[in-house]
Amino acid sequence: MMDGKTGVFQTCAFYFLLLFLHDANGDISYSFPEEMKRGSVIGDLAKDLGLETGALSNRRARIDTDETEKRYCDINVNNGELVVADRIDREGLCGEKASCILKHELVLENPLELHRINLHIQDINDNPPQFNEETVNIEIRESAVRGARFVIEEAHDVDVGQNSVQQYSLKKNDHFILATSGNTVELVLDKELDREKEQDINLVLTALDGGSPQRSGTVVIHVTVLDANDNVPVFSQAVYKASLPENSPVDTVVVTVSATDADEGINGDVTYDFGHVSDDVKNIFSIDHKVGQIRVIGTVDYETTTSFEIRVKAKDGLGLSSYAKAIISISDVNDNAPVVNLKSLTNPIAENTPPGTEVGIINVQDRDSDNNRQVRCSIQQNVPFKLVPSIKNYYSLVTTGQLDRELVSDYNITISATDEGSPPLSSSKTVQLSVADINDNPPVFEEQSYSAYVSENNKPGSTLCSVTARDPDWRQNGTVIYSLLPGEVNGAPVSSYLSVNGDTGVIHAVRSFDYEQFRSFKVQVMARDNGSPPLSSNVTVSVFISDVNDNSPQILYPAPEGNSFMTELVPKAAHGGSLVSKVIAVDADSGQNAWLSYHIVKSTDPGLFTIGVHSGEIRTQRDISESDSMKQNLIVSVKDNGQPSLSATCSMYLLISDNLAEVPELKDISYDDKNSKLTSYLIIALVSVSTFFLTFIIIILGVRYCRRRKPRLLFDGAVAIPSAYLPPNYADVDGTGTLRSTYNYDAYLTTGSRTSDFKFVSSYNDNTLPADQTLRKIYFRYSFGYSKIETNLQL
């Protein structure tokens, strides 16, 4: 036997004689020898397809095969060459077939394109001829005549063509010569046998193939010389045909062969056996040596082999034999479910992907044949995808509607494939597809507006409230950043009042607020995501400042000590309950912090006067008597209702007198403030000048007294409140005792100094004077600022 490696080396010359063919359907064909090394170049696909080298990589070129086939070649996407991917043994792939073609498919994507590649495997002489047995035993009767022929089972070479068995040679001997005709090898008796001289003869038969280098195989033919057996078994037919469904159970009878021998006795006993068959046949079928039944002993698979050709030998008792052929066709049954393969998938896909976009390529294979191989593909309902048939058994997975990651972020797409067999078989494959986010949702605040409540005098940096916005987008597209929109509050930038934490939305006060300056204000907070481009939304935050008791009551009348010198004139005839004067105060706070109460904390005569707790009206508690001191000094405390309570005090000076002549006694009233010498001089001058007027008035009063009885006078408490005393922004709070308008007061304003003036006011009370009496009002005012005396007398 010749060295196989040497034969492979020599036949590799086929590698340099590759034949590239294009058939009528546009298929690509290559021809090359078997047993080429892995990585050997078969052909230049890029050049043969007219493509740029880089196009194969960009279009995801790949070699595809059915699931039943092994991939023996691959493509180098960098240079476009088709190379050997695995060992290619022609004999193992195609057996004794004259033509050995492997079919692969070249798949190109974007757009989807399919080319069939036919690989013609050329045989090399890598196998020697082989006989079925190492020794062939033949029994020949010595009665055999010269020229008798004895069939010898031929040698088999798994190579084909010129590399198969081409000739036989018989080693020189005295009795036999060799005769060949086609595949028939016969020993021809050239010289009669003589059992008494030679009972056993050993012949050497050599089979030679036509390869280069030539390979050979030998067998020893042992001839036993017997008495005459002149008939060989004869089969009832030369070829037996049978059909066998795949998956037939073990021990199924496929076909029965039959042969007869005209001889009698042992010479006529026929036994059956397989001739030269492959191991695969021996593993699937057996033959009954006595009756010739061929039975199933293994698994019959149509997808592996569609037919078997079995050589059957019939042999009589003395060694004469003949041969017949049994052809068994395997019929297909629907025993293979379709297989769904995902060949390409774009994952993830953007949620703004337009409908009709191809996102994946699906390939469906069924190993069965005919109708059993026809497959229908479908996709589950309620998903925005569909299958579009493409080339052969390929489908494109395309979108059918708009995707929204915020509604569905992942899809499990189930693809079902069902063949048309009976009964039909089906299978499915689930494709997981994720939707990539884009920034298509602005942040949305949880509330339409926010309100924050804070007490005045708050600490800078204190937390007012928190705003929250949600963005259903993913990662940075859903990351929310908060900020204040530019604006002004009371003419100042809003950022000087508030700040917002960009990450948490917590709003802090930058400064301390004053309720008396402003009670509420509004700001705009923007929530912006971190997408590109960013999206945003705004919300209004209303800040309400609540009052705290941080302002003491402010007394408007009488003016605070040290700023004015004011005295009220009280008639001696005043009865108990008469209104003498009124303390007027305001509080810059609001609510209960501005509810004021009035209290006399000190008085010259504690039982003579009382003050309204809520009105501030000073009234007599009893009738004034002659024993009461003419000069009365009241210290009034005004308190608010805050917690803690704040207060202010003032002094009220009252002069009990009906006669203006008693006015000089004012010089004895004690004030806490020290008057200047100039003031003393002016008072003396005033008293002197006023004496004249008082005398005149007394005369007039005397005349009037003579005419009628003097009426009882009650002081009605006319109070003059300069409007200049009222501070700005004070509101009249009804019912709080601050600025009640229940009483009607006459106001008189001097244009001189506010720091040193006094006024005597005598009024009337409509409830105490008779209707027929003449009304009388006496006004006396002296303005130190202008040294001017004004009188107003009405009789």
Side-chain angles (χ1 to χ4, degrees):
M1 184 181 296
M2 299 182 182
D3 189 355
K5 293 184 178 179
T6 303
V8 172
F9 177 80
Q10 292 181 354
T11 57
C12 278
F14 282 102
Y15 173 76
F16 301 98
L17 299 176
L18 295 177
L19 177 60
F20 170 75
L21 299 174
H22 287 277
D23 62 16
N25 296 324
D27 294 347
I28 303 173
S29 298
Y30 293 96
S31 179
F32 59 98
E34 65 176 327
E35 300 294 347
M36 290 179 66
K37 293 183 179 179
R38 289 182 177 88
S40 298
V41 177
I42 297 173
D44 192 339
L45 271 178
K47 179 180 177 182
D48 297 334
L49 291 174
L51 298 174
E52 295 293 336
T53 302
L56 295 177
S57 177
N58 295 335
R59 295 182 63 182
R60 303 180 187 175
R62 62 177 180 273
I63 299 299
D64 204 355
T65 64
D66 292 343
E67 292 297 322
T68 59
E69 297 179 3
K70 187 175 182 180
R71 188 171 64 183
Y72 292 95
C73 64
D74 204 347
I75 184 171
N76 187 330
V77 294
N78 296 322
N79 55 24
E81 293 178 343
L82 185 68
V83 298
V84 175
D86 201 352
R87 177 176 178 264
I88 301 177
D89 181 13
R90 182 195 175 284
E91 290 73 29
L93 294 174
C94 302
E96 298 179 1
K97 293 180 180 179
S99 176
C100 183
I101 300 176
L102 298 180
K103 294 183 179 181
H104 289 52
E105 292 177 341
L106 172 64
V107 180
L108 300 175
E109 296 183 12
N110 195 25
L112 183 62
E113 189 174 345
L114 186 67
H115 294 276
R116 180 175 293 151
I117 300 175
N118 296 325
L119 303 179
H120 296 263
I121 311 302
Q122 301 296 331
D123 182 53
I124 63 173
N125 192 27
D126 58 342
N127 293 281
Q130 290 184 343
F131 289 91
N132 192 38
E133 298 174 311
E134 294 183 357
T135 302
V136 177
N137 295 313
I138 299 178
E139 297 177 342
I140 301 176
R141 285 192 175 275
E142 60 180 353
S143 59
V145 296
R146 186 172 183 269
R149 294 175 178 266
F150 305 93
V151 178
I152 304 298
E153 185 174 359
E154 71 271 19
H156 290 271
D157 192 334
V158 293
D159 295 325
V160 295
Q162 191 67 24
N163 296 324
S164 63
V165 176
Q166 299 296 318
Q167 59 181 332
Y168 294 87
S169 65
L170 184 64
K171 187 177 180 180
K172 188 176 181 180
N173 61 87
D174 297 331
H175 297 279
F176 297 91
I177 60 174
L178 189 64
T180 59
S181 177
N183 291 330
T184 303
V185 180
E186 294 178 316
L187 288 177
V188 180
L189 185 62
D190 187 55
K191 183 181 179 181
E192 291 81 3
L193 300 174
D194 187 353
R195 181 179 178 278
E196 287 69 29
K197 291 182 178 180
E198 193 173 17
Q199 187 176 353
D200 298 293
I201 302 172
N202 289 321
L203 306 175
V204 177
L205 177 64
T206 301
L208 301 171
D209 62 22
S212 179
Q214 192 177 50
R215 294 176 178 270
S216 63
T218 60
V219 65
V220 175
I221 303 174
H222 180 75
V223 178
T224 303
V225 181
L226 301 175
D227 289 340
N229 179 21
D230 54 354
N231 290 288
V232 297
V234 178
F235 282 97
S236 59
Q237 56 190 71
V239 178
Y240 294 86
K241 293 182 179 181
S243 179
L244 178 68
E246 65 173 327
N247 301 327
S248 294
V250 174
D251 211 32
T252 299
V253 177
V254 181
V255 67
T256 301
V257 296
S258 175
T260 59
D261 193 310
D263 295 325
E264 294 182 353
I266 193 173
N267 294 328
D269 292 338
V270 180
T271 59
Y272 303 93
D273 203 351
F274 289 138
H276 178 79
V277 293
S278 65
D279 291 338
D280 291 339
V281 174
K282 292 179 180 179
N283 292 332
I284 298 175
F285 301 101
S286 67
I287 188 169
D288 189 295
H289 298 292
K290 294 295 184 181
V291 297
Q293 288 181 340
I294 299 177
R295 296 176 178 271
V296 175
I297 62 172
T299 301
V300 181
D301 188 4
Y302 174 86
E303 287 70 43
T304 301
T305 304
T306 59
S307 64
F308 294 92
E309 188 173 306
I310 303 174
R311 190 176 178 84
V312 182
K313 180 175 68 174
K315 181 182 178 181
D316 62 19
L318 294 180
L320 295 180
S321 59
S322 61
Y323 295 87
K325 184 183 295 184
I327 298 176
I328 302 173
S329 298
I330 308 301
S331 59
D332 183 45
V333 297
N334 192 28
D335 61 341
N336 291 281
V339 178
V340 180
N341 299 303
L342 179 63
K343 294 298 183 180
S344 178
L345 182 66
T346 302
N347 194 16
I349 58 174
E351 59 179 322
N352 62 345
T353 299
T357 301
E358 181 182 83
V359 298
I361 297 176
I362 307 299
N363 176 257
V364 182
Q365 300 287 345
D366 194 312
R367 297 177 59 191
D368 296 318
S369 63
D370 300 330
N371 289 339
N372 297 332
R373 188 183 181 91
Q374 301 301 316
V375 178
R376 299 186 307 272
C377 278
S378 61
I379 197 170
Q380 69 184 50
Q381 300 298 320
N382 302 323
V383 293
F385 300 93
K386 68 177 181 179
L387 288 177
V388 177
S390 186
I391 302 172
K392 197 180 176 182
N393 51 354
Y394 281 86
Y395 295 84
S396 294
L397 180 65
V398 299
T399 59
T400 60
Q402 191 65 44
L403 305 178
D404 189 348
R405 192 204 68 86
E406 287 69 47
L407 295 178
V408 181
S409 60
D410 295 279
Y411 289 94
N412 289 326
I413 306 169
T414 301
I415 300 172
S416 300
T418 305
D419 61 28
E420 296 185 0
S422 179
L425 299 179
S426 62
S427 64
S428 62
K429 186 177 185 66
T430 300
V431 178
Q432 294 182 342
L433 192 62
S434 299
V435 181
D437 183 53
I438 63 170
N439 193 27
D440 58 345
N441 290 280
V444 177
F445 285 94
E446 291 184 347
E447 300 181 17
Q448 293 183 351
S449 62
Y450 291 84
S451 298
Y453 299 90
V454 58
S455 299
E456 64 173 328
N457 304 326
N458 58 291
K459 293 182 179 180
S462 58
T463 300
L464 301 185
C465 68
S466 176
V467 297
T468 303
R470 306 294 182 188
D471 194 320
D473 291 323
W474 180 246
R475 293 187 177 173
Q476 67 177 16
N477 292 334
T479 301
V480 180
I481 301 173
Y482 303 92
S483 62
L484 290 175
L485 289 179
E488 291 187 353
V489 176
N490 284 358
V494 67
S495 58
S496 64
Y497 288 89
L498 299 177
S499 67
V500 62
N501 188 306
D503 297 326
T504 63
V506 177
I507 298 177
H508 301 276
V510 174
R511 61 166 66 176
S512 179
F513 301 133
D514 188 357
Y515 175 85
E516 287 69 45
Q517 289 185 357
F518 54 89
R519 301 183 180 184
S520 65
F521 60 92
K522 294 182 179 181
V523 297
Q524 292 284 325
V525 177
M526 179 180 69
R528 175 180 59 84
D529 60 30
N530 206 24
S532 178
L535 301 177
S536 63
S537 60
N538 303 332
V539 72
T540 299
V541 179
S542 300
V543 180
F544 299 95
I545 303 169
S546 59
D547 183 49
V548 297
N549 193 28
D550 60 342
N551 291 280
S552 300
Q554 182 176 353
I555 299 174
L556 303 181
Y557 183 84
E561 292 180 328
N563 296 330
S564 66
F565 181 82
M566 303 182 70
T567 303
E568 295 287 351
L569 186 63
V570 180
K572 291 182 179 180
H575 293 288
S578 297
L579 178 64
V580 174
S581 184
K582 179 179 177 69
V583 176
I584 301 176
V586 294
D587 195 312
D589 295 321
S590 66
Q592 68 176 9
N593 294 329
W595 295 351
L596 303 181
S597 61
Y598 301 83
H599 308 277
I600 297 176
V601 296
K602 185 177 181 181
S603 64
T604 302
D605 189 348
L608 183 56
F609 298 99
T610 184
I611 189 169
V613 175
H614 299 298
S615 66
E617 295 176 346
I618 299 176
R619 296 179 180 269
T620 57
Q621 294 192 72
R622 57 180 174 81
D623 294 343
I624 298 176
S625 65
E626 294 295 333
S627 62
D628 291 330
S629 173
M630 179 181 180
K631 296 175 288 183
Q632 296 288 331
N633 184 11
L634 304 179
I635 298 177
V636 178
S637 172
V638 183
K639 294 183 180 180
D640 59 27
N641 199 33
Q643 293 295 331
S645 176
L646 300 178
S647 64
T649 59
C650 66
S651 296
M652 177 67 73
Y653 300 100
L654 304 176
L655 183 63
I656 302 175
S657 177
D658 286 334
N659 193 344
L660 293 179
E662 299 176 358
V663 170
E665 296 294 328
L666 292 172
K667 65 181 183 292
D668 295 332
I669 298 177
S670 175
Y671 289 90
D672 293 334
D673 295 336
K674 295 181 180 181
N675 298 321
S676 64
K677 292 181 179 182
L678 176 61
T679 304
S680 300
Y681 295 149
L682 292 175
I683 293 175
I684 295 172
L686 175 62
V687 173
S688 301
V689 174
S690 300
T691 302
F692 173 78
F693 291 100
L694 291 175
T695 303
F696 179 75
I697 292 172
I698 292 173
I699 295 173
I700 294 176
L701 292 175
V703 174
R704 298 286 293 177
Y705 186 80
C706 292
R707 294 176 57 184
R708 60 184 177 180
R709 184 167 52 92
K710 179 181 178 181
R712 299 178 63 186
L713 300 178
L714 293 177
F715 182 69
D716 200 25
V719 181
I721 304 174
S723 62
Y725 288 175
L726 296 174
N729 299 327
Y730 278 98
D732 184 6
V733 182
D734 188 21
T736 64
T738 301
L739 286 178
R740 299 185 59 182
S741 59
T742 307
Y743 295 91
N744 192 13
Y745 297 94
D746 296 330
Y748 302 91
L749 176 64
T750 65
T751 59
S753 172
R754 295 180 60 225
T755 61
S756 183
D757 63 21
F758 69 91
K759 176 176 62 176
F760 297 98
V761 181
S762 178
S763 183
Y764 65 90
N765 191 315
D766 294 338
N767 296 325
T768 60
L769 292 180
D772 60 340
Q773 291 187 6
T774 304
L775 300 178
R776 183 181 65 175
K777 292 184 181 179
I778 300 176
Y779 299 87
F780 187 87
R781 178 172 59 184
Y782 181 83
S783 175
F784 294 105
Y786 294 95
S787 299
K788 181 179 178 181
I789 300 175
E790 297 180 5
T791 61
N792 187 344
L793 181 62
Q794 180 179 355
L795 298 178

